[in-house]
Amino acid sequence: MTTEERVREAAVRLFAERGFHGTGIRDLAQAAGLSSATLYHYMGTKEDLLVGIMRTSLTELITAAEAIAGSTPDETDRLVSLVEMHVRAHAGKPRETAVVDGEMRALTGERRAEVVALRDRYEQIWQDAIADGVNAGKLHVAEPSVARLALLEMCSGVSRWYSPDGPLGLRDLTIQYGAMALGMLGAAR
Amino acid sequence: MTTEERVREAAVRLFAERGFHGTGIRDLAQAAGLSSATLYHYMGTKEDLLVGIMRTSLTELITAAEAIAGSTPDETDRLVSLVEMHVRAHAGKPRETAVVDGEMRALTGERRAEVVALRDRYEQIWQDAIADGVNAGKLHVAEPSVARLALLEMCSGVSRWYSPDGPLGLRDLTIQYGAMALGMLGAAR
DNA sequence: CCCCTTCGATCGATCGATCGATCGGGCCCC
DNA sequence: GGGGCCCGATCGATCGATCGATCGAAGGGG
């Protein structure tokens, strides 16, 4: 593993545990096994580090979601696949996703606009999937936007409590979330 | 409105917008219309302020939840009432609840333990409500704990996006969330 | 009615500590 | 001996918190 990767890994862990503003440069350096001065040999500003983490995580989510959307004709299957992918990502990389979901406000200006645009692009895929399901008569929701927000909050919340060392396996988790998603979206049983 | 209330109001707004560590004493003072020195005439430490906000908000939630649990014999009605109350609270006081949900990590030691205990007590009411519904054969979930976490994350997420000035009214919102909650918990239709 | 005491409220100035970030120079391997 | 890699020392700024001093209103004894 390169030093740069070690820095990013430390940043992900600390940002997730203490928050962006709660993490100091010296904390990052110590966690990465470097001096605070050396740290700057491998990164730009602290904010650059945060943007990089968010960009990587969101890009992966978008890529996976677009692949599902483009290869799953059945509207119900598409939604379930999106839920399973999202939950798997949030359970498998809880720290990365928690940072993406929780530290957006630490960004300002263009950086923030860029990351928000990525997030909006990802959520649009979900919005379309729900709308398609409703139009096909397979889902029944009062308001697609509200359903999208509720569904995404439910699935993203996994990163706030799931532990891979706990009794619940990743497979079980995704299956249960798929079932709950279909239920809350009024899918035919 | 007393000065103390104005301080707390400013703190709630800033903590919600920028986070606890992202809010400085001078920011708080300016928002409350005081000097940073005068601020300390009306509060203890910055952490005291945060604990006070969390304690108030969580206590109100617990009181409301216990009232519902003690006065709603039907298991399905009980769950729907809890959802409606929770959503109403998160939509009506999005900043307070966002601080409770998102700044727990800023606390340490006993203060943290106290607030976590309050949160656990609140979540236990939900856990019991779900378990009762399952035992009565009115709800059907694979794992009550997972359902509780998913449901609470979904409902709490409201504070992260709802705006009282938007097109969606509070009544519509709670009704939709009640329906989605019943769906994801496998309630008989 | 006036003076004197008391007290809550307020603030400018400042504390030591830590913040994010930078610099010059040393080390080591090719 | 030149170039990546690394760090001790330090920068100006800001952090949370405290200090002594001042203000005006309230209260009471003569």
Side-chain angles (χ1 to χ4, degrees):
Chain A
M1 184 171 43
T2 70
T3 303
E4 201 164 333
E5 287 168 342
R6 233 180 314 123
V7 168
R8 177 177 284 220
E9 221 171 60
V12 166
R13 200 183 77 238
L14 291 180
F15 287 170
E17 287 174 3
R18 316 179 188 179
F20 179 74
H21 290 303
T23 303
I25 289 295
R26 290 158 186 82
D27 299 328
L28 282 173
Q30 188 177 17
L34 301 171
S35 73
S36 68
T38 308
L39 194 64
Y40 280 94
H41 183 72
Y42 293 96
M43 66 174 218
T45 66
K46 199 175 87 161
E47 191 174 334
D48 287 339
L49 201 51
L50 177 60
V51 171
I53 292 167
M54 290 181 161
R55 188 155 36 204
T56 300
S57 189
L58 278 172
T59 302
E60 286 177 6
L61 283 177
I62 290 174
T63 302
E66 284 180 342
I68 290 171
S71 68
T72 318
D74 181 79
E75 291 85 358
T76 306
D77 290 348
R78 194 185 311 163
L79 225 236
V80 172
S81 292
L82 281 177
V83 167
E84 289 179 352
M85 180 276 293
H86 189 93
V87 168
R88 205 179 307 119
H90 278 66
K93 299 191 177 212
R95 292 178 298 273
E96 279 88 343
T97 50
V99 169
V100 172
D101 295 334
E103 297 296 337
M104 207 81 95
R105 65 180 168 204
L107 296 178
T108 54
E110 306 179 20
R111 329 287 292 270
R112 182 187 166 88
E114 178 204 339
V115 176
V116 167
L118 283 176
R119 190 199 56 185
D120 288 349
R121 195 170 138 204
Y122 180 65
E123 296 199 355
Q124 187 60 48
I125 301 173
W126 285 72
Q127 181 75 19
D128 293 343
I130 293 174
D132 290 350
V134 170
N135 289 337
K138 297 184 177 176
L139 303 180
H140 305 84
V141 304
E143 191 79 56
S145 296
V146 175
R148 181 197 88 231
L149 289 160
L151 181 57
L152 272 171
E153 291 288 351
M154 176 182 93
C155 295
S156 297
V158 166
S159 67
R160 278 187 279 272
W161 61 265
Y162 182 77
S163 163
D165 305 326
L168 185 63
L170 212 103
R171 176 174 291 273
D172 259 4
L173 181 73
T174 56
I175 290 176
Q176 289 189 38
Y177 265 77
M180 288 190 290
L182 288 185
M184 69 178 274
L185 296 179
R189 284 191 273 192
Chain B
M1 186 172 39
T2 70
T3 303
E4 201 166 356
E5 286 168 344
R6 234 179 314 121
V7 168
R8 176 176 285 219
E9 219 171 60
V12 166
R13 200 183 79 238
L14 291 180
F15 287 170
E17 287 174 3
R18 317 178 187 179
F20 179 75
H21 290 303
T23 303
I25 290 293
R26 289 156 187 82
D27 299 329
L28 282 173
Q30 189 176 16
L34 302 172
S35 74
S36 67
T38 307
L39 196 62
Y40 279 94
H41 183 72
Y42 294 97
M43 66 175 219
T45 66
K46 199 174 86 161
E47 192 174 334
D48 287 337
L49 200 52
L50 177 61
V51 171
I53 292 167
M54 290 181 160
R55 189 156 35 206
T56 300
S57 189
L58 278 172
T59 301
E60 285 177 6
L61 283 176
I62 290 173
T63 301
E66 283 179 343
I68 290 171
S71 68
T72 319
D74 181 80
E75 292 85 358
T76 306
D77 290 347
R78 196 184 310 163
L79 223 249
V80 172
S81 292
L82 282 177
V83 167
E84 289 179 351
M85 180 275 292
H86 189 92
V87 169
R88 205 178 310 118
H90 278 66
K93 299 193 176 209
R95 293 179 297 272
E96 280 86 343
T97 49
V99 169
V100 172
D101 295 335
E103 298 296 337
M104 207 83 95
R105 65 181 168 201
L107 296 178
T108 54
E110 307 178 21
R111 327 289 291 271
R112 182 188 167 87
E114 178 205 340
V115 177
V116 167
L118 282 176
R119 191 199 56 186
D120 288 349
R121 194 171 139 205
Y122 180 65
E123 296 199 355
Q124 186 62 47
I125 301 174
W126 285 71
Q127 181 74 20
D128 294 343
I130 293 174
D132 289 350
V134 170
N135 289 337
K138 298 184 177 178
L139 303 180
H140 304 84
V141 304
E143 190 82 54
S145 297
V146 175
R148 181 197 88 231
L149 289 160
L151 181 58
L152 272 170
E153 291 287 353
M154 177 182 93
C155 295
S156 298
V158 166
S159 67
R160 278 186 279 273
W161 61 265
Y162 182 78
S163 164
D165 304 326
L168 186 64
L170 217 115
R171 176 175 291 272
D172 258 5
L173 181 72
T174 55
I175 290 177
Q176 289 189 38
Y177 265 77
M180 289 191 289
L182 287 185
M184 69 178 276
L185 296 178
R189 283 191 274 193

